Amino acid sequence: MPDLELLRPRAYLASLRPLGLWTLLVAPVGMLAGSASAFFLWSLDRVTQARFDHPWLLFLLPVAGMLIAWTYHHHAKGSARGNNLLIDEIHEPGGGVPARFTPLILLSTLLTHLVGGSAGREGTAVQMGGGLASEFVRLFRIPVRHRRMLLMAGVAAGFGSVFGTPLAGAIFAMEVLTLGRVQYENLIPCMLAALIGDLTCSAWGAQHTGMIIASQMTPGPFTFGHLDLLVLAKVGLAAALFGLCARLFVTGTHGIQAALERFIPAYWLRPVIGGVAIIALTYALGTREFLGLGVWSPNPDDVTTVSVFHEGGADTWSWFWKLLFTAITVGAGFKGGEVTPLFFIGGALGHTLAGVLGLPVDLAAGLGFVAVFAGASNAPLACTLMGIELFGAQHAVLIAVACWISYHFSGHTGIYSAQRPGILKHHV
């Protein structure tokens, strides 16, 4: 039965009031987060170039790790929990987000990448967005009832602007909070913040790495309408492996962190050991392609998140080595996040599976690109939208299947330990 109340002019105008309030509150948060992401992306390019220009910086990785650990131990006041602190504050506002939250994560991430740590950028962008939103609430004395909404808006704007995927950013901010549930009451504020953040980041001239799925699927004997059932079955099998890969990454990262905390009492020594392990692996493998972000390299033979979309752009085990490098880096306490390395891991694994399953390389890499992240973050809906935003809607069904099946096989634990259990993925 239609809601006749909304047909009355006064009631209709009343329903518009929240839109004006939301825009007034989240627009500054979106602009702040988008500007911070633009500066971060520019700075990240500079420190990455410096690392390529000065290879000896890798030997400072243990020293940088010790400095990061000491700074967070003595001056962070809870900031070391990163994204998990934001998630907890959104669920149950408590001690608040410290003012030093944003500069600490920015500087520590840049230092991690300068010396070759295999980390990402999502964690930094999300934490900067949430931290700036918290400061906006504090400085302008925004009523407490709007605090949760603005923190979510900051997360959405940070995520959406750093990857150029505002729709995914809006859904991610709502989906990442609780396993198996999406809370839609802040959908419009998150969408506004993510769009404004992305527009602001672009206005500053920030560039996002472009990947495309160019292959056209030739209709086969099992094609019905626009869907090839054989291809769908192959994607389903690949997606299960993407989910298991995500599970391996999460288990490995948390396991390394737990082992170091258990057996190494000195907090500052843990990243030193992790840094030494990364240096040893680098020289054992004879390549530096698994260091840093992995998005680009001056060496055309290196595996990157772009090269995995092309024939011969990755080796069979490139995905595993990037997984190991990142698990050690993050588990040892370096900063930056996990998402961009997960793109590398998923894309490289897709590249490997393409030859086994008879799928186009760019299609398999693109599906792995978003599906491994979907499994590791427990955010399949956001990752489906991200895949559509990045690669277009032509393969939307396959992207959704890859993300959702990966989510099913990745286990109940994700990269965000503060994510609360909602609905179990399966009961068997």
Side-chain angles (χ1 to χ4, degrees):
M1 190 173 179
D3 189 350
L4 298 179
E5 183 66 24
L6 283 178
L7 298 179
R8 300 176 182 175
R10 183 176 298 179
Y12 180 73
L13 290 175
S15 70
L16 293 177
R17 289 174 190 163
L19 293 177
L21 177 62
W22 290 333
T23 303
L24 183 65
L25 290 175
V26 305
V29 170
M31 288 188 286
L32 286 170
S35 298
S37 290
F39 176 74
F40 172 55
L41 291 173
W42 176 85
S43 302
L44 196 54
D45 280 342
R46 303 287 84 73
V47 299
T48 300
Q49 185 64 61
R51 176 172 61 82
F52 286 129
D53 292 340
H54 306 286
W56 56 266
L57 286 170
L58 176 62
F59 295 101
L60 296 181
L61 186 60
V63 178
M66 183 169 58
L67 177 61
I68 291 171
W70 182 88
T71 302
Y72 271 87
H73 184 79
H74 290 283
H75 301 288
K77 289 187 177 180
S79 297
R81 297 185 60 235
N83 289 337
N84 293 311
L85 173 62
L86 281 178
I87 293 173
D88 280 340
E89 282 296 315
I90 292 171
H91 278 300
E92 294 180 10
V97 179
R100 64 197 71 181
F101 190 69
T102 299
L104 273 178
I105 187 59
L106 173 63
L107 294 175
S108 60
T109 299
L110 293 177
L111 181 57
T112 294
H113 284 283
L114 177 66
V115 294
S118 178
R121 54 191 176 186
E122 152 274 341
T124 304
V126 166
Q127 290 173 54
M128 288 194 302
L132 291 168
S134 180
E135 283 304 296
F136 176 74
V137 169
R138 185 180 295 116
L139 289 175
F140 291 93
R141 299 181 180 180
I142 305 298
V144 175
R145 65 181 181 274
H146 299 308
R147 188 168 184 270
R148 182 173 186 271
M149 176 192 74
L150 287 174
L151 284 176
M152 292 177 66
V155 170
F159 188 98
S161 60
V162 81
F163 294 124
T165 56
L167 297 182
I171 299 301
F172 177 82
M174 299 181 293
E175 189 177 20
V176 75
L177 301 177
T178 306
L179 177 66
R181 290 179 179 168
V182 182
Q183 303 174 30
Y184 286 107
E185 69 270 21
N186 289 313
L187 174 60
I188 292 179
C190 287
M191 181 186 68
L192 286 171
L195 288 171
I196 293 170
D198 182 46
L199 289 171
T200 302
C201 187
S202 298
W204 282 109
Q207 300 292 323
H208 300 289
T209 304
M211 288 81 60
I212 60 171
I213 299 176
S215 297
Q216 300 293 324
M217 304 298 296
T218 302
F222 301 100
T223 300
F224 298 91
H226 297 288
L227 194 61
D228 188 321
L229 296 185
L230 181 58
V231 171
L232 186 65
K234 292 178 179 180
V235 168
L237 177 58
L241 297 175
F242 293 147
L244 293 176
C245 176
R247 193 169 192 168
L248 177 63
F249 177 82
V250 172
T251 303
T253 303
H254 291 335
I256 289 172
Q257 181 180 0
L260 288 173
E261 290 176 353
R262 179 179 179 183
F263 296 110
I264 310 296
Y267 71 89
W268 56 269
L269 187 56
R270 298 166 197 157
V272 172
I273 293 173
V276 170
I278 292 294
I279 295 172
L281 278 171
T282 299
Y283 278 89
L285 295 175
T287 179
R288 295 184 174 226
E289 60 192 340
F290 304 116
L291 299 174
L293 201 61
V295 173
W296 64 277
S297 171
N299 182 358
D301 296 325
D302 282 353
V303 181
T304 66
T305 56
V306 176
S307 74
V308 297
F309 284 77
H310 305 285
E311 291 282 354
D315 297 324
T316 303
W317 293 100
S318 294
W319 66 271
F320 173 78
W321 293 119
K322 186 62 174 179
L323 186 153
L324 183 59
F325 272 70
T326 308
I328 293 173
T329 299
V330 176
F334 291 89
K335 302 301 178 182
E338 306 92 341
V339 175
T340 305
L342 284 170
F343 292 159
F344 184 116
I345 295 164
L349 178 57
H351 186 284
T352 297
L353 293 177
V356 177
L357 297 175
L359 291 171
V361 168
D362 54 354
L363 174 62
L367 296 178
F369 191 94
V370 290
V372 171
F373 175 39
S377 63
N378 290 320
L381 182 56
C383 291
T384 298
L385 286 175
M386 171 177 273
I388 293 171
E389 287 183 287
L390 290 174
F391 308 124
Q394 178 184 0
H395 301 291
V397 173
L398 298 181
I399 291 170
V401 168
C403 289
W404 297 351
I405 292 180
S406 174
Y407 165 79
H408 177 81
F409 279 93
S410 65
H412 290 94
T413 303
I415 54 179
Y416 308 115
S417 58
Q419 190 176 53
R420 297 194 175 185
I423 300 175
L424 294 179
K425 298 179 182 181
H426 43 78
H427 299 281
V428 179

